[in-house]
Amino acid sequence: MKVLVVNAGSSSLKYQLFDTSDNSVIAKGNCERIGIDGRITHKMSGRDDYKADLPMYNHTEAVKVLIATLTSPEVGCIADMSEIEAVGHRIVHGGAYFSQSMLVNDDVVAKLRLCNDFAPLHTGPHLMGIDGCTEAMPGTPQVLVFDTAFHQTMPDYAWMYPISYDMYEKYGIRRYGAHGTSHRYVAGEMCRILGRTEGTKIITCHLGNGSSISAVKDGRVIDTSMGFTPLDGVEMGTRCGSIDPAIVPFIMEREGFTPQRMSEYMNKECGLAGVSGLSSDCRDLDDAVKAGNERAKLAVDILTYQIKKYIGSYTAAMNGLDALVFTAGIGENRDEIRAAACADMDFFGIKLDAEINAKTRLQSDIVKISAADSKVPVYVIPTNEELVIANDTAAIVGAMKK
Ligand code: ADP
């Protein structure tokens, strides 16, 4: 089945066209500057990238440009849009409404609207992306795949915060988690390698600009580091992660910050960038550490220490560990961060093969980076959220057609 995967952001719409019969990517690209002027970059293997400035004043126009590009005799890859049998959308937040991927209908869209409180920056663009596809491809079924869905299996004592219960009831304040589609993909791959799902205890570390760590038991999430919002958990590129909550009113008072300014501060001015005063990107920090920059070292040390603590606490929560997985930009490419997070973990049975770990960067294959005598196998598994979205969409639409 040819499935178009759409990831709608505030001013962009990324896409990938999959053939799910062999999971190949036929084409992919990005519509940018939506609402400003409009630019499309379209990529197909074996061809030069196609770039064009075309007006896209909203997401509907972006979808029209995207369809015109996919069907163009010069740069396209399909004869006409009826070849696209379904559309799968990446949705950042599904609240507690969605524990699995859903076919778009009025009820599903109404519930998605209610998620706007939890993800105000993303929900609007998602709705516009759905509307854009409905208008440009009426009759083509659409499926929503939620970043929060995989975490809905957490027990209540893991998702409930120790705040008064009425706040949870009034506002839905609880742990929802994020990056669920990525955790689901790499945990699934890990279960495939282990040869079983039931009885497995896996920790998945999705470490990128935003980072989250999950404990996955029997193929189901029992805890995850991101919380009510993607600000919780470990130190990130520009996000502070978990801090003493008393710091929030303290800084607001001393600095005269409004709630909005404080939120901006914690999301954009903290983390690796804030501590180092240099950069949110580990590549820059690595160079600075090598040049003897103490604050760059401190920023990285905080992150690796926190990863180590999550591995320890989730191993305790599951009473064991069968495999540890690293994924995303840092997890797949930063060997020194993996090495530091796994150093001195022999008590937990974790030991890396220093040589294999050091050369595991920029690869598209799964690599086992643990030493032969490590009790717990450690893997780098490149994530593929778009593939999960394409496969969920094909499965739901395929079942509907039967
Ligand atoms: P996002 O969360 O925005 O998707 P990524 O998963 O791309 O971000 O992760 C960004 C982080 O991963 C940066 O700190 C960067 O240093 C690191 N990273 C990404 N790609 C590479 C690479 N090819 N080599 C080294 N580090 C990388």
Side-chain angles (χ1 to χ4, degrees):
M1 186 183 291
K2 286 193 180 121
V3 175
L4 180 65
V5 172
V6 168
N7 184 351
S10 51
S11 67
S12 73
L13 190 144
K14 296 196 188 98
Y15 62 90
Q16 288 197 21
L17 181 64
F18 276 88
D19 181 346
T20 59
S21 63
D22 59 1
N23 286 337
S24 57
V25 177
I26 303 167
K28 63 180 173 181
N30 194 4
C31 299
E32 291 167 282
R33 300 177 60 83
I34 301 171
I36 307 165
D37 38 26
R39 177 173 305 147
I40 185 165
T41 307
H42 180 71
K43 296 169 188 273
M44 285 174 64
S45 78
R47 286 213 215 152
D48 290 342
D49 291 357
Y50 164 73
K51 291 184 185 177
D53 292 332
L54 295 161
M56 299 174 205
Y57 294 111
N58 53 42
H59 286 70
T60 305
E61 288 185 17
V63 176
K64 282 187 184 146
V65 167
L66 147 64
I67 290 170
T69 306
L70 290 172
T71 55
S72 145
E74 289 80 35
V75 297
C77 50
I78 52 174
D80 71 85
M81 58 186 258
S82 66
E83 282 188 43
I84 300 173
E85 289 175 77
V87 180
H89 294 269
R90 178 202 175 209
I91 305 292
V92 163
H93 214 302
Y97 302 109
F98 302 108
S99 55
Q100 60 191 33
S101 304
M102 301 293 290
L103 189 70
V104 170
N105 59 33
D106 291 348
D107 179 49
V108 164
V109 170
K111 285 197 177 113
L112 178 60
R113 276 185 210 289
L114 298 176
C115 298
N116 190 51
D117 278 355
F118 307 127
L121 298 180
H122 292 98
T123 307
H126 292 335
L127 288 162
M128 286 192 279
I130 297 165
D131 284 349
C133 290
T134 309
E135 245 179 80
M137 294 183 264
T140 305
Q142 301 180 53
V143 168
L144 306 187
V145 180
F146 303 90
D147 266 3
T148 46
F150 188 50
H151 300 303
Q152 281 292 310
T153 48
M154 281 185 283
D156 53 5
Y157 54 79
W159 60 249
M160 181 68 193
Y161 286 109
I163 54 173
S164 65
Y165 204 79
D166 59 324
M167 293 294 173
Y168 157 63
E169 288 179 315
K170 259 201 261 183
Y171 303 117
I173 299 172
R174 50 158 286 179
R175 182 181 305 283
Y176 292 104
H179 298 136
T181 310
S182 173
H183 288 286
R184 180 176 145 208
Y185 176 75
V186 297
E189 287 294 284
M190 196 62 243
C191 287
R192 190 177 56 74
I193 294 165
L194 292 171
R196 63 190 204 284
T197 299
E198 287 308 310
T200 54
K201 298 164 180 176
I202 299 168
I203 294 175
T204 49
C205 304
H206 176 113
L207 308 174
N209 211 6
S211 298
S212 63
I213 302 179
S214 294
V216 187
K217 195 172 180 220
D218 303 319
R220 289 181 285 277
V221 173
I222 61 139
D223 206 350
T224 191
S225 63
M226 277 183 170
F228 178 54
T229 71
L231 185 55
D232 203 357
V234 294
E235 179 191 34
M236 296 173 234
T238 57
R239 285 173 253 175
C240 57
S242 307
I243 55 173
D244 179 344
I247 295 169
V248 178
F250 186 90
I251 292 182
M252 287 175 77
E253 260 174 43
R254 297 295 157 112
E255 295 286 317
F257 283 1
T258 60
Q260 197 187 357
R261 173 73 188 100
M262 188 64 203
S263 172
E264 184 186 67
Y265 170 74
M266 292 188 290
N267 276 289
K268 300 198 175 143
E269 297 168 34
C270 293
L272 296 168
V275 176
S276 69
L278 270 181
S279 169
S280 62
D281 194 305
C282 280
R283 284 168 279 206
D284 302 333
L285 296 186
D286 192 24
D287 295 341
V289 171
K290 285 189 186 127
N293 185 308
E294 285 296 322
R295 270 178 45 200
K297 181 175 179 308
L298 176 61
V300 175
D301 285 350
I302 293 171
L303 174 63
T304 55
Y305 179 60
Q306 291 184 337
I307 298 168
K308 191 187 277 274
K309 286 204 292 185
Y310 269 103
I311 295 171
S313 63
Y314 285 170
T315 302
M318 293 191 288
N319 188 23
L321 184 62
D322 294 318
L324 175 64
V325 181
F326 288 98
T327 194
I330 293 174
E332 291 170 32
N333 298 300
R334 308 307 309 179
D335 57 286
E336 71 285 0
I337 292 197
R338 295 188 302 248
C342 295
D344 303 322
M345 294 279 269
D346 32 322
F347 179 77
F348 286 90
I350 296 170
K351 194 169 150 199
L352 294 193
D353 181 313
E355 217 173 295
I356 297 176
N357 180 51
K359 61 182 189 210
T360 302
R361 284 175 175 228
L362 286 177
Q363 79 297 326
S364 52
D365 298 329
I366 295 175
V367 182
K368 185 177 176 182
I369 56 168
S370 46
D373 60 347
S374 180
K375 194 174 130 212
V376 175
V378 184
Y379 281 82
V380 170
I381 302 184
T383 195
N384 197 341
E385 290 149 292
E386 292 78 13
L387 179 63
V388 177
I389 298 171
N391 284 332
D392 271 17
T393 303
I396 290 176
V397 173
M400 193 180 84
K401 285 185 173 168
K402 273 186 195 151

